[in-house]
Amino acid sequence: MPDNLVIVESPAKAKTIQKFLGNDYKVMSSYGHIRDLHKKDFSIDIDNGFEPIYEIPSDKKALVADLKKAAKQAKTVWLASDEDREGEAISWHLYEVLGLKPENTKRIVFHEITKPAIVEAIKHPRAIDINLVNAQQARRVLDRIVGFELSPVLWKKIKPALSAGRVQSVAVRLIAEREKEIRNFKSEPYYRVTSTMQPEGSQASVAAELNTRLKTHDQAVAFLEACRTARFTVGAVTVKPVKKSPAPPFTTSTLQQEAARKLGFSVSQTMRVAQSLYESGLITYMRTDSLNLSNLALGAIGNEIETTLGKQYLKIRKYHTTSKGAQEAHEAIRPTAIAHRDIEGTAQEKKLYNLIWKRTIASQMADAELERTTVDIAVSNRPEHFTATGEVINFDGFLKVYIESTDADATPADMHTLPPMTTGKGMMARDVTATQRFTQQPARYTEASLVRTLEELGIGRPSTYAPTISTIQARGYVEKGESKGTKRDYEVMMLAGDKIETKRKSELTGAEKGKLLPTDVGMVVNDFLMQYFPSILDYNFTAKVENEFDEIAEGKEVWNNEIGKFYKKFHPDIEKVSALRLEHKVGERVLGNDPKTGKPVSVKIGRFGPVVQLGSKDDDEKPQFASLQKDQSIETITLADALKLFEMPRNLGKFEDADVTVAIGRFGPYVKHNGKFVSIPKTMSPQSITLDEACQLIVDKRESEAKKVIATFAEEPELQVLNGRYGPYISYKKQNFKIPKGKDAAQLTLADVRAIVADESNATKSSARRAARAAATKKPAATKQPATRKKKAAKA
DNA sequence: CAGTGAGCGAGCTTCCGCTTGACTT
């Protein structure tokens, strides 16, 4: 047993450091925090200075026992967790739990996993910084107080199992407020005027645009009329050098953004792939807010650029973070060996690695030098003028390797040159076009753009961006989905030759895919929290408490006092709001009265989501309830639409002596007959479907069911060849397998099928399991009702 | 992807940050 025990946070890191330190050291990992507040209890002694009550979670007990044993055998224990608030606390918990002694415990830190950095760190040990630890305890206790006092208020006033917290509630607020902006947005039309011109005596064509937008149809027509007889002359020609600089190397949030834009990865997908690259030793740590690259890495990158591209492409740069609250315990995300351009791995791993490689290289490359030419073209009978621009790259610099993407809809940087034009030269307009455009509504958040905004606000940490997005979906506050656009007409007027031609065209506007949309529950919870707890939802709340944590870390404030001050203000609000007696349920909207019965109709959040209610609970008769459909919302539903929901279930009549009923279930409208269900296709509506149509659906379903089983085998009842929506497949113990191309499903023998199952399960085991896991974590977000979902999960 | 289909008076639910692992009834 070596004399020295080194404890780091991550096992992959431990492996690397073990190599650097050799046999005199044993390097182990704590796997993050080893101790925390109890999972289920409040675990804060309010009356006793907010003393936290810690426990070692059951899944960490074996690990802690191992660490304890190793610590006993070592002469010196080196606590090498990260140099930030959380890392310091991890070291402190280790010190306490392992029963270490000051004389044989050393605290060391490094910001990069390189041999020189580790060796240097060993030379400069220090003691645990208890002020920094206390700042972490304050952070932990504050989050627990906010989360565990606020959430029960929501259970009581809105719906069980909801949650609120310093980070997630602000994330929901951003999405909810953006949606309100969009709902209130009034699009204004305007006219954009473009022209294809050609210098006199030349065949070259020049794309030019008018320097102002025209407001109305009449103004656009008047302008085109003027152009009919106008002369066009080149005015000022300006040539300006333009420099472009590369983007800094990746942090967690910029990696998530670029992987979303360039590769279409979700935030959690990016982290999963990055984790596997990290574990294979291919990239540095993937949860970081640092832009720093180690000197060792800079040397290697410089060498790579110089030898493959040439010295003129090299420019070593030091980037400094500007993001709020960055703790910079690691390096930026980079390849561990820059000479490796390509790696072995899955397609996703290759793509993500390639992205990281390019970004890292580009960050140390020379600026691109461009020349931008702007030509003004005067219109003889109008004050406005056209402008044509051209761009030439004189030196491509970093553009040779990497161009950062933007969120704006793909507008490729159209690099083009202009033909020679000098002041005074005449221009011919081949055509002049006025196109009606509309001011654009604000864009909804994507996962990645939400992460960017949270980071800008200093809310959340690299390790929590992906989990936060999962949480707000799992709670049903937000859904990832498409918003159907609306069709909009616009006009295009074109002057060609002597004629002005007007065309009407139409486009789809506001259609978005993969965007984060607030649900009714999300909206109601946000409104509620904004009304009663605005200080917690304040975008600056985190920044403010971070300042206090900094004071604690510097030893200027005592953490218990700071939490005490907060609690004194916060807790009475909780008491007050819990005791409120509200006339209507939170978020309830009264739509009017049912014309038939005169009873009131209202919409609100029920136990299982948004419902419409007919009648009041004070009536003699019990009120009737019906769930809102997926595309309906509490805020926008009309009385007429709400009343329609009560028409379900409808009894259409009898078929083969059994009732045929129509209803709307979790997965849309369906026909029920004799205990069997058939989905109603989108082309029909549950309100208008006839008995004949319904019977047809039932018969069709029977037919496809009959065709479903292609082959079964007496020897293996669980093995079947079935006909699915996407063609024939093999089903075996709840798993499905593709049938290889070129084989006739009906002709397969038992041996064939067994071979396919054996082969497929061997070949795709890891990826299939990974996919299953992804689906399992994703599902809760997609379905609407938590209660039924849980039952299912338990069964499965 | 391979098939699902309710209830609105049981119970329990929840935070943020560190880190990876993964029973077979």
Side-chain angles (χ1 to χ4, degrees):
Chain A
M1 181 69 200
D3 288 345
N4 296 287
L5 172 65
V6 180
I7 305 176
V8 297
E9 292 181 34
S10 145
K13 206 191 228 183
K15 230 170 82 188
T16 315
I17 293 173
Q18 182 72 72
K19 272 189 256 161
F20 294 147
L21 290 176
N23 289 335
D24 294 343
Y25 293 80
K26 181 181 170 74
V27 187
M28 294 177 77
S29 159
S30 74
Y31 291 81
H33 278 290
I34 55 153
R35 211 162 62 152
D36 191 14
L37 302 175
H38 287 79
K39 220 170 121 85
K40 304 248 166 192
D41 306 340
F42 193 58
S43 293
I44 298 166
D45 191 347
I46 300 284
D47 301 324
N48 198 5
F50 300 91
E51 202 53 43
I53 301 155
Y54 292 116
E55 69 161 356
I56 300 164
S58 56
D59 58 329
K60 287 285 173 97
K61 290 231 161 92
L63 169 75
V64 168
D66 284 352
L67 289 169
K68 229 180 212 167
K69 206 171 127 200
K72 269 225 174 83
Q73 291 172 2
K75 283 192 182 136
T76 307
V77 177
W78 304 78
L79 299 174
S81 50
D82 297 345
E83 189 185 27
D84 55 22
R85 207 160 58 202
E86 297 298 326
E88 203 68 18
I90 288 172
S91 279
W92 177 74
H93 282 300
L94 283 167
Y95 181 87
E96 296 268 305
V97 171
L98 303 184
L100 304 180
K101 301 264 163 4
E103 56 273 19
N104 54 13
T105 304
K106 292 178 175 176
R107 169 80 171 115
I108 52 168
V109 292
F110 33 79
H111 298 241
E112 53 187 63
I113 313 300
T114 58
K115 190 165 183 180
I118 310 293
V119 171
E120 198 56 28
I122 295 273
K123 283 189 202 156
H124 304 287
R126 60 168 172 83
I128 290 172
D129 179 350
I130 197 67
N131 290 331
L132 196 52
V133 173
N134 286 337
Q136 192 274 347
Q137 299 203 84
R139 198 280 304 155
R140 183 67 190 90
V141 166
L142 176 92
D143 282 336
R144 175 52 68 90
I145 292 174
V146 171
F148 274 41
E149 295 215 337
L150 219 41
S151 300
V153 179
L154 299 180
W155 306 343
K156 197 169 162 189
K157 297 291 173 189
I158 299 176
K159 188 164 107 79
L162 295 176
S163 67
R166 174 176 58 82
V167 173
Q168 60 169 284
S169 295
V170 175
V172 174
R173 179 184 170 191
L174 285 166
I175 293 164
E177 287 193 345
R178 180 61 55 86
E179 201 62 26
K180 285 185 184 174
E181 272 176 57
I182 290 171
R183 281 180 195 165
N184 294 331
F185 182 80
K186 294 233 160 49
S187 164
E188 302 276 345
Y190 65 91
Y191 289 80
R192 179 172 172 253
V193 183
T194 55
S195 172
T196 316
M197 299 190 172
Q198 121 186 13
E200 276 173 2
S202 158
Q203 288 300 311
S205 71
V206 177
E209 182 169 346
L210 199 66
N211 65 332
T212 49
R213 295 166 166 186
L214 302 177
K215 286 217 166 64
T216 64
H217 170 89
D218 291 347
Q219 285 175 14
V221 171
F223 183 82
L224 293 186
E225 285 292 350
C227 284
R228 205 199 286 259
T229 55
R231 274 178 300 109
F232 302 96
T233 321
V234 174
V237 178
T238 43
V239 181
K240 240 188 358 201
V242 178
K243 268 193 185 172
K244 284 188 183 161
S245 301
F250 278 133
T251 59
T252 303
S253 81
T254 52
L255 178 68
Q256 289 171 346
Q257 289 161 43
E258 278 289 88
R261 291 186 286 229
K262 284 198 156 80
L263 310 177
F265 286 9
S266 72
V267 163
S268 62
Q269 196 181 1
T270 299
M271 294 314 283
R272 220 168 26 240
V273 177
Q275 174 88 28
S276 106
L277 291 173
Y278 167 69
E279 284 172 11
S280 313
L282 295 167
I283 60 168
T284 55
Y285 196 56
M286 64 282 155
R287 290 187 276 264
T288 177
D289 50 24
S290 172
L291 299 175
N292 191 51
L293 296 172
S294 72
N295 286 329
L296 223 62
L298 286 175
I301 296 164
N303 190 43
E304 177 75 16
I305 295 170
E306 219 176 305
T307 52
T308 58
L309 299 165
K311 199 166 182 166
Q312 70 276 24
Y313 280 99
L314 178 63
K315 185 177 179 189
I316 295 293
R317 303 159 189 266
K318 281 273 180 189
Y319 294 93
H320 299 285
T321 182
T322 51
S323 61
K324 257 189 233 171
Q327 309 201 358
E328 304 201 79
H330 307 92
E331 280 189 75
I333 303 169
R334 64 164 172 88
T336 47
I338 201 77
H340 292 162
R341 286 177 172 242
D342 296 301
I343 56 154
E344 296 292 312
T346 65
Q348 292 190 342
E349 285 166 6
K350 284 181 179 171
K351 279 192 218 163
L352 193 70
Y353 180 84
N354 189 253
L355 189 68
I356 295 168
W357 188 88
K358 283 182 175 167
R359 175 92 165 205
T360 308
I361 287 277
S363 77
Q364 303 305 322
M365 287 179 68
D367 289 344
E369 288 163 28
L370 301 95
E371 198 178 79
R372 186 172 295 148
T373 307
T374 310
V375 178
D376 290 346
I377 300 162
V379 185
S380 59
N381 51 5
R382 294 283 300 200
E384 300 92 344
H385 65 265
F386 283 91
T387 306
T389 56
E391 221 165 52
V392 187
I393 299 179
N394 288 334
F395 176 61
D396 53 0
F398 77 95
L399 293 177
K400 202 177 185 77
V401 176
Y402 183 90
I403 301 171
E404 189 179 36
S405 303
T406 57
D407 279 338
D409 290 309
T411 39
D414 48 347
M415 299 274 189
H416 52 264
T417 55
L418 290 176
M421 283 180 278
T422 47
T423 307
K425 177 128 190 146
M427 299 289 285
M428 277 225 341
R430 263 191 248 159
D431 59 58
V432 182
T433 309
T435 309
Q436 189 180 21
R437 302 278 62 203
F438 301 86
T439 50
Q440 270 201 327
Q441 65 181 30
R444 291 190 172 86
Y445 284 100
T446 61
E447 286 189 358
S449 68
L450 181 67
V451 168
R452 188 183 56 199
T453 304
L454 288 174
E455 189 191 36
E456 281 167 6
L457 293 168
I459 297 171
R461 306 277 314 130
S463 66
T464 60
Y465 296 137
T468 299
I469 287 173
S470 305
T471 300
I472 60 178
Q473 291 180 76
R475 300 278 171 276
Y477 293 149
V478 167
E479 278 171 358
K480 213 163 138 185
E482 56 278 43
S483 54
K484 276 178 281 171
T486 46
K487 227 179 88 175
R488 176 166 65 194
D489 289 335
Y490 67 101
E491 56 178 2
V492 179
M493 290 170 285
M494 186 165 168
L495 169 72
D498 215 24
K499 268 192 278 182
I500 298 177
E501 200 183 326
T502 303
K503 275 188 204 155
R504 296 204 71 82
K505 294 188 175 182
S506 71
E507 63 185 348
L508 200 61
T509 176
E512 291 180 303
K513 254 193 180 168
K515 296 295 173 79
L516 299 174
L517 303 167
T519 61
D520 277 333
V521 177
M523 282 293 201
V524 168
V525 167
N526 182 60
D527 287 345
F528 176 80
L529 292 174
M530 283 300 286
Q531 183 176 354
Y532 295 109
F533 299 96
S535 60
I536 305 294
L537 280 258
D538 189 336
Y539 292 132
N540 289 317
F541 177 66
T542 291
K544 279 185 207 150
V545 295
E546 281 290 342
N547 283 337
E548 282 162 30
F549 298 153
D550 287 347
E551 302 261 289
I552 295 166
E554 288 164 29
K556 292 180 189 156
E557 299 286 354
V558 179
W559 80 266
N560 320 64
N561 293 347
E562 293 302 298
I563 294 297
K565 281 186 224 161
F566 168 77
Y567 193 75
K568 233 170 117 184
K569 274 190 282 180
F570 178 68
H571 188 69
D573 284 347
I574 293 280
E575 301 267 317
K576 219 174 359 184
V577 178
S578 297
L580 277 181
R581 294 189 156 256
L582 303 163
E583 194 188 335
H584 285 294
K585 188 142 190 260
V586 175
E588 182 169 345
R589 232 182 100 216
V590 179
L591 299 178
N593 292 311
D594 176 21
K596 269 186 250 161
T597 59
K599 287 181 181 176
V601 178
S602 63
V603 279
K604 63 181 174 189
I605 303 290
R607 245 182 106 65
F608 299 94
V611 286
V612 50
Q613 177 179 338
L614 176 61
S616 92
K617 65 173 190 280
D618 310 324
D619 292 351
D620 297 338
E621 274 179 275
K622 265 195 172 180
Q624 251 185 294
F625 294 94
S627 290
L628 264 61
Q629 282 185 256
K630 248 193 143 354
D631 56 349
Q632 293 177 322
S633 135
I634 287 184
E635 287 185 48
T636 55
I637 192 170
T638 60
L639 179 61
D641 285 337
L643 288 171
K644 267 190 199 156
L645 293 171
F646 290 111
E647 292 168 11
M648 299 294 152
R650 275 170 72 210
N651 194 333
L652 297 182
K654 298 256 184 205
F655 176 58
E656 296 176 350
D657 289 336
D659 280 331
V660 176
T661 53
V662 174
I664 295 165
R666 281 212 282 156
F667 310 99
Y670 64 89
V671 174
K672 193 175 173 189
H673 175 251
N674 241 340
K676 294 206 174 212
F677 298 89
V678 192
S679 289
I680 297 175
K682 289 219 169 64
T683 48
M684 298 181 200
S685 101
Q687 276 88 22
S688 63
I689 190 168
T690 63
L691 181 60
D692 282 350
E693 287 169 333
C695 293
Q696 190 60 48
L697 288 176
I698 294 165
V699 172
D700 289 349
K701 170 103 184 225
R702 275 182 198 165
E703 220 169 277
S704 66
E705 294 247 295
K707 277 196 226 148
K708 188 179 161 192
V709 180
I710 298 173
T712 52
F713 306 96
E715 299 92 321
E716 283 244 39
E718 287 192 280
L719 197 54
Q720 291 182 307
V721 183
L722 301 176
N723 220 339
R725 250 164 77 201
Y726 302 88
Y729 67 98
I730 295 164
S731 164
Y732 180 60
K733 291 190 179 172
K734 304 264 168 201
Q735 273 203 50
N736 300 315
F737 302 88
K738 271 188 288 189
I739 292 171
K741 271 190 186 142
K743 298 221 175 178
D744 183 357
Q747 303 295 319
L748 292 173
T749 63
L750 177 59
D752 291 339
V753 175
R754 275 187 175 150
I756 293 168
V757 169
D759 184 43
E760 287 253 338
S761 61
N762 284 338
T764 61
K765 203 172 206 172
S766 65
S767 75
R769 199 188 290 162
R770 213 177 285 171
R773 214 187 310 142
T777 52
K778 231 178 183 175
K779 270 248 164 74
T783 46
K784 238 181 172 178
Q785 280 77 9
T788 47
R789 189 196 314 144
K790 241 176 243 161
K791 270 180 230 153
K792 286 247 168 56
K795 228 189 272 170

